Amino acid sequence: MVKSVSFFMVISLLAFAPICFCSKSNYYGYLYPQFYDWSCPQAKEIVKSVVAKAVAREARMAASLLRLHFHDCFVKGCDASLLLDSSGTIISEKISNTNRNSARGFEVIDEIKSALEKECPQTVSCADILALAARDSTVLAGGPNWEVPLGRRDSRDASLSGSNNNIPAPNNTFNTILTKFKLKGLDLVDLVALSGSHTIGNARCTSFRQRLYNQSGNNLPDYTLDQSYAAQLRTRCPKSGGDQNLFFMDFVSPTKFDNYYFKNLLASKGLFNSDQVLVTKNQASLELVRLYAENNELFFEQFAKSMVKMGNISPLTGYRGEIRKNCRMMNS
């Protein structure tokens, strides 16, 4: 049974979640927005310029770059392990179930890294590039701005198992998703706010097909999905075939970063099971969805706070890790 929670309890959850631009690490140093002001003062502008060109070429790229930061941080911290190709003892996270045939935008990160290496060699980490690109992509799509704490270093290894197991999946239950967030130091407020990133981008048929045909193993569709919307989805997402067919995650304003994602959830038109459970399985998350659906400014404010918090997951700083010359491979 869903536990009840008062509106005022939800407000208090938000009120006591202040934004912080620093992150103490376990052993060395901390992150702060001015990290490259002396060593590479043009770093932020270079990242912003390349991202702007990429999004101008393809609006979908904004969501793809934002997603890369998520899928990097949830594995073993924001350390650019996702960007490593398979080589030697490394098995790339790019081939995990959550990334294979879906993670994209790597060539944009390569372009940013190449430009930064020309400006200030071996100075700006790939992990920081991911964090900056995620922020710039959000802003370009019409979303909130925030100062990005910097100073992360790059890992020398990857974790295929971590990528398979730690990243929330479209068919996960509410409790599973919340547990995965809590294991990374994130809470219910972060979960709901960061899920709002699904206001932009596309999803493949294979990632939500079970909701259309066999939600609970009984060959029946998901009863929590609006049936007219489900019928529309079935026209291009058949029982078999069409795995890679793309669908907007927010069909109302698919390239604009706004709060229509939450409005869609309240209309039972969330695309993923992991979206819709925010309103069907937990009263506190339902209240947050209602708040963000009614107040875009409040959503933007919390999204920015939660992005900073997520970007602070287990950063490598000081002498740990390295600054890769090429984001796809360790330094020789």
Side-chain angles (χ1 to χ4, degrees):
M1 179 175 291
V2 174
K3 295 181 180 179
S4 62
V5 62
S6 73
F7 173 84
F8 298 101
M9 286 174 65
V10 172
I11 291 294
S12 68
L13 279 172
L14 294 170
F16 295 104
I19 193 165
C20 176
F21 294 128
C22 59
S23 168
K24 292 182 179 179
S25 65
N26 292 331
Y27 303 106
Y28 311 96
Y30 56 94
L31 307 181
Y32 56 100
Q34 300 80 22
F35 187 84
Y36 297 110
D37 283 5
W38 179 80
S39 60
C40 191
Q42 296 302 313
K44 295 175 188 176
E45 287 303 317
I46 289 172
V47 175
K48 184 184 297 184
S49 174
V50 176
V51 171
K53 287 188 292 184
V55 173
R57 288 193 299 266
E58 181 191 18
R60 180 188 173 200
M61 188 55 69
S64 298
L65 293 173
L66 178 56
R67 185 170 182 255
L68 287 183
H69 188 38
F70 275 77
H71 282 214
D72 180 48
C73 292
F74 265 85
V75 176
K76 56 189 189 66
C78 308
D79 61 3
S81 61
L82 169 60
L83 302 180
L84 288 168
D85 288 339
S86 294
S87 64
T89 59
I90 293 176
I91 302 176
S92 178
E93 294 169 18
K94 296 175 183 177
I95 63 173
S96 69
N97 295 330
T98 52
N99 293 323
R100 188 174 60 251
N101 298 322
S102 66
R104 59 195 299 275
F106 298 109
E107 72 285 350
V108 178
I109 302 301
D110 292 339
E111 186 179 348
I112 295 169
K113 184 59 175 173
S114 178
L116 286 169
E117 285 300 301
K118 291 177 182 176
E119 177 72 19
C120 34
Q122 219 165 336
T123 301
V124 182
S125 70
C126 301
D128 279 344
I129 291 173
L130 285 174
L132 287 167
R135 188 274 310 274
D136 294 340
S137 294
T138 301
V139 173
L140 285 165
N145 197 355
W146 63 91
E147 280 197 283
V148 179
L150 300 166
R152 302 167 189 80
R153 287 167 65 86
D154 301 324
S155 68
R156 295 191 178 101
D157 60 357
S159 176
L160 180 61
S161 62
S163 188
N164 277 323
N165 298 318
N166 299 353
I167 299 171
N171 59 350
N172 280 164
T173 65
F174 177 85
N175 287 334
T176 297
I177 298 166
L178 184 58
T179 296
K180 288 181 177 181
F181 268 71
K182 287 183 175 180
L183 287 172
K184 297 301 178 183
L186 303 173
D187 58 25
L188 177 66
V189 176
D190 301 313
L191 164 57
V192 179
L194 292 175
S195 293
S197 63
H198 286 178
T199 184
I200 56 174
N202 299 61
R204 297 174 299 152
C205 163
T206 186
S207 63
F208 62 87
R209 176 184 280 122
Q210 89 285 345
R211 296 194 71 201
L212 304 179
Y213 302 102
N214 189 27
Q215 173 70 358
S216 304
N218 55 4
N219 291 315
L220 294 175
D222 185 353
Y223 71 91
T224 69
L225 181 63
D226 177 86
Q227 292 308 296
S228 62
Y229 183 47
Q232 181 183 342
L233 294 172
R234 281 192 288 266
T235 62
R236 292 185 52 246
C237 187
K239 277 189 177 181
S240 62
D243 286 4
Q244 305 305 316
N245 289 352
L246 294 176
F247 296 77
F248 294 131
M249 288 193 284
D250 169 6
F251 65 93
V252 178
S253 54
T255 61
K256 182 174 172 54
F257 198 102
D258 56 26
N259 64 342
Y260 263 103
Y261 164 81
F262 298 105
K263 296 178 182 180
N264 294 338
L265 293 187
L266 294 176
S268 300
K269 294 180 179 180
L271 190 59
F272 292 154
N273 182 73
S274 58
D275 295 321
Q276 202 60 51
V277 293
L278 297 181
V279 301
T280 61
K281 298 299 183 181
N282 183 276
Q283 188 65 32
S285 66
L286 170 58
E287 293 299 334
L288 286 167
V289 168
R290 286 174 173 161
L291 278 177
Y292 298 150
E294 294 170 3
N295 191 327
N296 192 65
E297 184 178 347
L298 185 64
F299 164 47
F300 276 22
E301 180 183 343
Q302 185 56 51
F303 185 82
K305 291 179 181 179
S306 295
M307 284 297 292
V308 171
K309 191 173 173 182
M310 186 191 76
N312 286 346
I313 297 173
S314 305
L316 298 176
T317 57
Y319 295 99
R320 296 183 299 161
E322 64 183 12
I323 306 296
R324 289 186 215 138
K325 299 176 184 177
N326 180 333
C327 290
R328 293 177 180 265
M329 62 186 70
M330 291 185 298
N331 298 336
S332 55

